[in-house]
C-alpha cells in the first residue's frame, strides 16, 4: 500500500478532485439506490481553503426515511448467513486496498491531516474490516447449567446473540473513514442495518467507503440498503439518533455532543467514544530519549487532532527539567506545512474556528502564568508545535481537550502524585507510563482510571482488535470489532423443560 514517491508531489486541490469516483457527490446512498439532495455545500482543503468538492446535504426528512428503510430490512439483514457477512467484510477490505492511494489523497484534502497520518488511517481501516471478518464466526452463545439451582432441575438452557436492530453511526472529522469503518464493519458482522452520518467537514472518503460496501453487499446477494449514509447538520443527527426504530447509536466525537446524544437517544443503546486530554507519565528511571520521542510523536500526529494525543506530560521532579530540554530540542525539527508533502508532520487544523480556539487557550495559559517553551504561534494556517510548562489547574489547556499540536509539561514529586494528577481530570480514555520498573508498571495499570494504560509507548497506541474506549467523560462501551459486535447484539435466553 506504500505510494511511490513520484506521485506524491503536491498539486492544487482541484487537480486531485478529478480522481474522485464518478457520481460520488451527485447524490446520497439512501435506500437501495441513491437519492439527490436539494442542497449542497463545499468541502474545503483546510491548508489553503480551496474547494475540494460540492457535497449533497441531507435533511431531517431524509434521515427519517433512511431509518424507516433500514427498519424494513432489519429481519432480512439479521438472517444473512455468516458466510455472506464474512464475504462482504473481506470484499470491502480488498476493495480498500485497491483504492488505497486515491483514498489517501482524498483524506489529505478533506481533513488536512499530514499524508503519513492519512496513510495510517487507510491501513487501519483495512485492518478493521479484516478483523471484523474474523470475528463473524464468534457471534454465538453458550449453554447454561440451569440445574445449579433446584428450580432448574429437569431443564436445559442456552443463550445466543441476536442483532440489536438498526444502528446509527456518527463519526468525527479527524479520522472519518476509519471511524466509519469502526461502526459499519461490526454492524454488518452482527447482522444489523446501519446508517452512518459523517462529520459535515469530511464526508468524501466515507461516501467512497459506503459505495464500496454497497457494491460488496450487492455482489453477495444482500440488500445495498443495509448500509446507508446521510450527510447534514446536528438536526439530521438528532433525527437519526432519536428515531423510534433505531436500536443502537455509536458516536465518536466531543464529550459535550456525546452527552447530549446519550440523553436524547435514551432508551436506545449508546456507545460513546469521546474526548480526552491524554496523560504521559515519566518516572525517574525512564528512558528519557524514548519518552521525549513519544511526547513529540504522540502529541503531534494528526496535528494533535486525535482523542488520545499526548496533551499532559507529568514527570517526576528528578527528570522533569531534562525531559523538557529533550522535548524542546526535538520540536524545531518537526516539519510544519503542506499536508501533501511527504515530510510534513503538522499541518492546518480542520478550520479557522479550531485554530482560533487553540491559540486562545495557549494565550490564556500564558496569562495564567504558564511558560511557552516552544511554539505557541501561527505559521500561516498552521500552529507551530507548542510546549507549555506550568499550566495551572482550571485552564482549558490542561483540563480540557485541546485538539491541537500543544503539549503541557508538569513536574510532580513522585509517581503516586503523578497517578493522582491523571485521575483528577474528568477524562479517562488512555494514559501512558514510561518506567523500567515492572512493579511501577503494574501499579499504573491498577491505579490509573482510564480505559487503557500503555507502558513505554504513546497513549495513542491502538490495536484495532483490542477493546478500546474510556471511562468518566471519555465515554461508555467499547470499540474494536469483537467488542463492538457485542455492543451491537443482545443476548436471547432459551429454556427447555425436559
Amino acid at each position: 500500500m506504500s505510494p511511490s514517491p513520484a506521485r506524491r508531489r503536491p498539486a492544487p486541490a482541484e487537480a486531485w478532485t478529478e480522481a474522485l469516483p464518478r457520481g460520488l457527490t451527485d447524490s446520497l446512498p439512501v435506500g437501495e439506490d441513491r437519492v439527490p439532495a436539494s442542497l449542497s455545500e463545499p468541502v474545503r482543503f483546510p491548508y489553503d481553503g480551496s474547494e475540494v468538492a460540492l457535497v449533497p446535504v441531507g435533511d431531517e426528512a431524509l434521515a427519517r426515511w433512511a431509518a424507516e428503510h433500514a427498519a424494513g430490512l432489519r429481519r432480512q439483514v439479521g438472517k444473512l448467513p455468516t458466510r455472506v457477512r464474512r464475504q462482504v467484510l473481506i470484499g470491502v477490505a480488498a476493495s480498500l486496498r485497491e483504492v488505497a492511494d486515491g483514498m489517501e489523497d482524498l483524506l489529505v484534502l478533506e481533513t488536512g491531516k499530514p499524508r503519513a497520518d492519512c496513510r495510517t488511517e487507510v491501513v487501519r481501516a483495512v485492518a478493521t474490516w479484516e478483523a471484523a471478518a474474523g470475528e463473524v464466526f464468534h457471534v454465538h452463545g453458550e449453554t447454561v447449567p440451569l440445574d445449579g439451582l433446584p428450580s432448574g432441575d429437569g431443564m436445559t438452557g442456552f443463550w445466543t446473540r441476536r442483532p440489536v436492530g438498526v444502528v446509527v453511526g456518527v463519526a468525527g472529522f479527524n479520522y472519518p473513514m476509519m471511524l466509519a469503518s469502526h461502526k459499519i464493519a461490526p454492524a454488518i458482522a452482527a447482522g444489523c442495518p446501519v446508517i452512518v452520518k459523517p462529520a459535515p467537514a469530511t464526508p468524501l472518503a466515507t461516501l467512497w467507503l459506503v459505495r464500496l460496501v454497497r457494491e460488496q453487499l450487492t455482489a453477495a446477494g444482500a440488500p445495498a440498503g443495509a448500509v446507508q449514509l446521510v450527510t447534514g447538520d446536528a438536526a439530521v443527527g438528532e433525527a437519526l439518533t432519536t428515531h423510534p426504530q433505531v436500536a443502537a447509536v455509536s458516536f465518536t466525537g466531543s464529550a459535550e455532543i456525546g452527552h447530549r446524544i446519550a440523553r436524547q437517544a435514551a432508551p436506545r443503546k449508546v456507545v460513546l467514544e469521546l474526548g480526552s486530554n491524554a496523560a504521559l507519565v515519566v518516572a525517574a528511571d525512564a528512558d528519557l530519549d524514548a519518552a521525549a520521542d513519544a511526547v513529540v510523536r504522540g502529541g503531534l500526529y494528526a496535528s494533535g487532532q486525535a482523542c488520545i494525543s499526548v496533551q499532559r506530560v507529568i514527570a517526576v521532579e528528578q527528570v522533569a527539567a531534562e525531559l523538557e530540554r529533550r522535548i524542546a530540542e526535538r520540536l524545531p525539527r518537526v516539519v510544519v506545512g503542506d499536508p501533501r508533502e511527504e515530510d510534513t508532520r503538522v499541518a492546518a487544523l480542520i478550520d479557522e474556528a479550531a485554530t482560533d480556539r487553540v491559540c486562545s487557550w495557549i494565550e490564556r495559559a500564558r496569562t495564567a502564568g504558564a511558560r511557552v517553551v516552544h511554539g505557541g504561534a501561527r505559521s500561516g494556517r498552521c500552529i507551530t508545535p507548542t510546549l507549555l510548562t506550568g499550566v495551572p489547574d482550571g485552564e482549558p489547556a490542561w483540563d480540557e481537550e485541546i485538539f491541537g499540536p500543544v503539549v503541557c509539561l508538569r513536574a510532580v514529586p513522585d509517581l503516586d502524585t503523578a497517578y493522582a494528577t491523571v485521575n483528577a481530570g474528568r477524562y479517562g480514555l488512555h494514559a501512558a507510563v514510561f518506567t523500567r520498573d515492572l512493579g511501577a508498571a503494574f501499579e499504573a495499570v491498577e491505579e490509573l482510571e482510564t480505559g487503557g494504560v500503555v507502558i513505554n509507548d504513546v497513549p495513542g497506541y491502538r490495536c484495532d482488535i483490542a477493546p478500546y474506549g474510556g471511562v468518566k467523560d471519555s465515554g461508555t462501551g467499547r470499540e474494536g470489532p469483537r467488542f463492538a459486535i457485542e455492543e451491537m447484539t443482545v443476548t436471547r435466553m432459551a429454556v427447555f423443560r425436559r
Side-chain angles (χ1 to χ4, degrees), residues 34 55 82 104 126 151 232 250 277 281 284 365 411 415 419 441 444 470:
R34 299 183 65 87
V55 176
T82 299
E104 180 186 314
V126 171
S151 60
S250 176
N277 51 4
V281 174
L415 281 180
Y419 297 158

Side-chain angles (χ1 to χ4, degrees), residues 170-172 179 251-258 272-276 307 401:
V170 182
L179 295 175
F251 170 79
T252 301
S254 71
E256 178 186 1
I257 296 175
L272 302 174
E273 199 272 274
L274 306 179
S276 185
C307 55
E401 181 178 42

Side-chain angles (χ1 to χ4, degrees), residues 258-308:
H259 295 167
R260 184 162 68 243
I261 286 175
R263 291 190 296 269
Q264 293 173 340
R268 293 154 196 83
K269 195 172 188 180
V270 177
V271 178
L272 302 174
E273 199 272 274
L274 306 179
S276 185
N277 51 4
L280 185 147
V281 174
V282 182
D285 66 342
D287 180 335
L288 294 186
D289 279 325
D293 287 341
V295 169
V296 174
R297 184 175 76 254
L300 302 182
Y301 77 99
S303 304
Q305 297 173 117
C307 55
I308 37 183

Side-chain angles (χ1 to χ4, degrees), residues 167-191:
V167 172
V168 167
V170 182
F173 70 81
N174 54 335
Y175 281 82
M177 192 267 295
M178 184 185 72
L179 295 175
S181 295
H182 285 172
K183 300 168 193 325
I184 301 171
I188 293 173

Side-chain angles (χ1 to χ4, degrees), residues 135-177:
E135 291 296 335
V136 169
F137 291 123
H138 303 292
V139 184
H140 51 64
E142 61 185 50
T143 58
V144 180
L146 297 178
D147 58 359
L149 295 173
S151 60
D153 287 351
M155 303 183 79
T156 299
F158 64 89
W159 60 265
T160 58
R161 285 200 170 274
R162 300 295 186 191
V164 70
V166 177
V167 172
V168 167
V170 182
F173 70 81
N174 54 335
Y175 281 82
M177 192 267 295

Side-chain angles (χ1 to χ4, degrees), residues 110-261:
E110 68 173 338
T111 68
K113 290 200 310 272
R115 176 169 298 286
D117 299 311
C118 294
R119 185 173 304 136
T120 297
E121 177 170 359
V122 177
V123 170
R124 285 186 53 194
V126 171
T128 295
W129 287 89
E130 290 177 334
E135 291 296 335
V136 169
F137 291 123
H138 303 292
V139 184
H140 51 64
E142 61 185 50
T143 58
V144 180
L146 297 178
D147 58 359
L149 295 173
S151 60
D153 287 351
M155 303 183 79
T156 299
F158 64 89
W159 60 265
T160 58
R161 285 200 170 274
R162 300 295 186 191
V164 70
V166 177
V167 172
V168 167
V170 182
F173 70 81
N174 54 335
Y175 281 82
M177 192 267 295
M178 184 185 72
L179 295 175
S181 295
H182 285 172
K183 300 168 193 325
I184 301 171
I188 293 173
C192 297
V194 57
I195 307 162
V196 64
K197 181 191 174 298
T202 56
L204 293 171
T206 310
L207 278 164
W208 196 353
L209 170 68
V210 168
R211 171 180 285 193
L212 298 177
V213 177
R214 285 163 68 102
E215 288 172 353
Q216 293 298 322
L217 285 164
T218 301
V227 177
Q228 302 176 84
L229 182 150
V230 182
T231 53
D233 58 13
V236 171
E238 184 175 344
L240 288 170
T241 58
T242 61
H243 195 281
Q245 296 194 76
V246 167
V249 176
S250 176
F251 170 79
T252 301
S254 71
E256 178 186 1
I257 296 175
H259 295 167
R260 184 162 68 243
I261 286 175

